[in-house]
């Protein structure tokens, strides 16, 4: 898979009602006959969901769309139980590539839809991913995103001599965080989204471990990975303790609680929104093996036997139209998967994110990582291994190698039972196991 084409901007039980499985989920567009029900694990923050619902209402005219946002585990179990029962109530499933992969046999072929969308200019690597390892298209690419660093320019006064903020190494980030804390009267300037709903496990999976070890799963117990966790212990000592309560970084950054933060692009753009000239967004640092980064590819599939299939296909066409792709970019900072031209008049904060993501993707030492592929509901178990490793080493102060060995064995047990091939950056093809 060509990393330069990924993120290439411009380039319950089945018998129960759906909303029982999706308790508390938001809906739009009413219900009943003619409504397309879109089940998705995207746009979980309330503000993101509301903005996307407004886009649906304004832009999608083929049918009213009921948008039901759920957690990943509920997404997987709902899709599986409804399709396997032969009584699906979902018309569309919108999720990350790795969350759709376990359900390839539960999704209809969409070659006809993709064929009608030839003018969209989907990158070949994305349409190949959308086959989910088979011969036909199982989802249509919808949107993509990544994770970067947001930096308030005040923090630049503590940047180490000789360091370029746009090509940082992890050692330079540590030196910067240390000097910033010292210069800031002992108050840390760096933060991570390490709260209960934060995406810090993606930092570990896609950035830290690949940058130090070159892999995500196969290298989990390696000496290089241990060195990465030892490094993170040092960085954590210079990180705002309140990070364990932060689910996203844009709010503490906006409040000035920290000046440097890592997060999903959609969870950073609120920080510079009011005063964009005071901010930078830059690529993640590089480690000994390179610049590990995670690309998030999201697609739209139609379950077997879904109601309103024809209308669901029309909704897919609407959501991949250039004006809708750009609406989602402007409103929620998820980037186009089509050739929709990125306009010059983007909101300044979104333009900052676009610059950082492009530079990160195109770095000569970039190491592309994907979120776990093919694990379904077990993705949460893999994420928990990374989270528990984080907690035991950084919060509980346990021995790094002992924790990595124990959690590596636990991780190996999960992927061994799942019997899935590895995903980037680990070698593709063979059944994925921890060495």
């Amino acid at each position: 898979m060509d990393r330069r084409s990924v993120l290439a901007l411009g380039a319950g039980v089945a018998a129960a009602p759906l909303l029982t499985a999706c308790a508390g989920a938001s809906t739009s567009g009413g219900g009943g006959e003619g409504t397309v029900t879109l089940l998705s694990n995207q746009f979980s923050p309330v503000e993101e969901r509301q903005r996307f619902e407004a886009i649906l209402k304004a832009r999608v005219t083929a049918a009213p769309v009921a948008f039901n946002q759920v957690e990943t585990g509920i997404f997987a179990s709902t899709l599986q139980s409804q399709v396997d029962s032969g009584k699906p109530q979902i018309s569309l499933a919108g999720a990350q590539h790795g969350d759709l992969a376990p359900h390839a046999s539960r999704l209809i072929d969409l070659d006809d839809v993709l064929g009608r969308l030839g003018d969209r200019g989907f990158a070949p690597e994305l349409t190949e991913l959308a086959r989910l390892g088979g011969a036909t298209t199982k989802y249509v690419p919808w949107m993509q995103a990544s994770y970067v660093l947001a930096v308030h320019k005040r923090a630049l006064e503590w940047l180490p001599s000789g360091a370029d903020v746009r090509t940082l190494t992890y050692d330079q980030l540590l030196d910067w965080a240390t000097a910033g804390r010292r210069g800031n009267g002992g108050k840390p300037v760096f933060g991570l989204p390490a709260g209960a709903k934060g995406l810090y496990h993606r930092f570990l999976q896609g950035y830290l471990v690949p940058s130090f070890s070159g892999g995500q799963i196969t290298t989990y117990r390696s000496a290089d990975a241990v060195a990465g966790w030892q490094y993170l212990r040092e960085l954590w000592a210079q990180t705002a303790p309140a990070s364990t309560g932060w689910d996203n970084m844009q709010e503490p950054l906006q409040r000035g609680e920290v000046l440097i933060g890592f997060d999903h692009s959609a969870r950073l753009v609120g920080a510079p929104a009011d005063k964009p000239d005071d901010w930078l967004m830059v690529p993640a640092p590089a480690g000994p093996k390179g610049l590990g980064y995670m690309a998030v590819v999201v697609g739209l599939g139609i379950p077997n036997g879904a109601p309103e299939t024809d209308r669901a296909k029309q909704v897919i066409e609407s959501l991949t139209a250039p004006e809708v792709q750009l609406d989602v970019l402007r409103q929620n900072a998820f980037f186009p998967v089509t050739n929709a031209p990125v306009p010059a008049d983007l909101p300044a904060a979104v333009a900052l994110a676009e610059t950082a993501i492009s530079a990160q993707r195109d770095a000569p030492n970039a190491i592309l990582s994907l979120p776990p592929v093919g694990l379904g509901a077990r993705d949460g178990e893999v994420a928990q291994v990374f989270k528990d490793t984080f907690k035991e080493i950084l919060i509980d102060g346990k021995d790094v190698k002992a924790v990595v060995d124990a959690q590596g064995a636990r991780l190996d047990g999960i992927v061994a039972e799942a019997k899935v091939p590895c995903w980037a950056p680990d070698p593709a093809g063979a059944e994925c196991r921890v060495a």
Side-chain angles (χ1 to χ4, degrees), residues 36-39 75 79 82-83 88-95 100 103-114 116-117 130 132 137-141 299-317 319:
V36 170
T37 300
L38 169 53
L39 183 75
F75 174 87
L79 181 57
Q82 291 196 10
V83 174
Q89 300 170 52
I90 312 160
S91 304
L92 269 178
L100 292 170
H103 304 287
S105 64
R106 298 185 178 95
L107 300 173
I108 71 170
D109 296 342
L110 292 174
D111 283 342
D112 59 331
V113 177
L114 195 64
R116 290 198 298 271
L117 302 178
L132 294 178
T137 302
K138 289 296 184 176
Y139 70 78
V140 173
L300 292 163
I302 298 178
N304 293 330
E308 308 296 346
T309 296
D310 289 342
R311 288 187 172 93
K313 291 180 178 181
Q314 291 176 311
V315 171
I316 291 176
E317 293 183 28
L319 291 177

Side-chain angles (χ1 to χ4, degrees), residues 282-305:
V282 300
K289 299 295 185 182
L291 195 171
Y293 79 98
M294 181 168 279
V296 180
V297 180
V298 185
L300 292 163
I302 298 178
N304 293 330

Side-chain angles (χ1 to χ4, degrees), residues 146-159:
S146 192
Y147 301 73
V148 294
L149 285 171
V151 177
H152 193 283
K153 290 180 179 178
R154 182 187 160 207
L156 295 177
E157 65 178 289
W158 302 304
L159 190 66

Side-chain angles (χ1 to χ4, degrees), residues 215-235:
Q216 182 184 130
I217 303 298
T218 60
T219 59
Y220 197 84
R221 285 188 290 208
S222 67
D224 289 334
V226 169
W229 287 103
Q230 289 170 332
Y231 163 85
L232 188 58
R233 173 175 277 173
E234 293 184 64
L235 181 62

Side-chain angles (χ1 to χ4, degrees), residues 370-382:
L370 293 175
V373 174
L375 294 176
R378 304 207 74 174
D379 178 31
E381 296 179 46
V382 171

Side-chain angles (χ1 to χ4, degrees), residues 355-366:
T355 299
I357 290 172
S358 294
Q360 184 167 264
R361 179 197 70 230
D362 293 336
N365 58 344

